[in-house]
Amino acid sequence: MKQGAVVSTRYNQVSALRTIQDLLGTEHINLNTAFQRPMAEVFDMRSSGRWTYTAETSTVLATTSLAPWRSFSDDLHGGW
């Protein structure tokens, strides 16, 4: 797919789950995912398949009481 191209194929949650299973190389969990079409148009199939991911904490969430990990993160990183 060319960069910036619009994908007009309709996908659903099972398509997303099937795609995740394919990307991770895991077995399909049931017949629904096994027979669902993966979201292949969304990804560059010619890429090397190598990717990196860096998790970043939400600055908005860190200021709320919904951040139970904040004290753990503070312990690991010496505070904010």
Side-chain angles (χ1 to χ4, degrees):
M1 180 170 87
K2 292 193 311 187
Q3 186 173 359
V6 175
V7 175
S8 60
T9 303
R10 296 185 74 140
Y11 294 110
N12 58 33
Q13 292 174 322
V14 181
S15 298
L17 184 56
R18 161 66 190 262
T19 304
I20 292 167
Q21 292 170 350
D22 289 351
L23 290 171
L24 295 176
T26 61
E27 292 185 26
H28 301 293
I29 59 173
N30 57 34
L31 290 176
N32 288 330
T33 60
F35 290 109
Q36 186 66 45
R37 179 176 41 177
M39 300 169 66
E41 290 180 58
V42 178
F43 299 94
D44 181 2
M45 302 307 285
R46 294 169 291 156
S47 75
S48 68
R50 301 181 84 199
W51 56 278
T52 60
Y53 176 76
T54 303
E56 295 183 18
T57 56
S58 166
T59 56
V60 174
L61 183 61
T63 62
T64 71
S65 62
L66 298 175
W69 45 264
R70 187 168 48 186
S71 62
F72 178 71
S73 179
D74 287 347
D75 292 343
L76 287 178
H77 299 98
W80 297 94

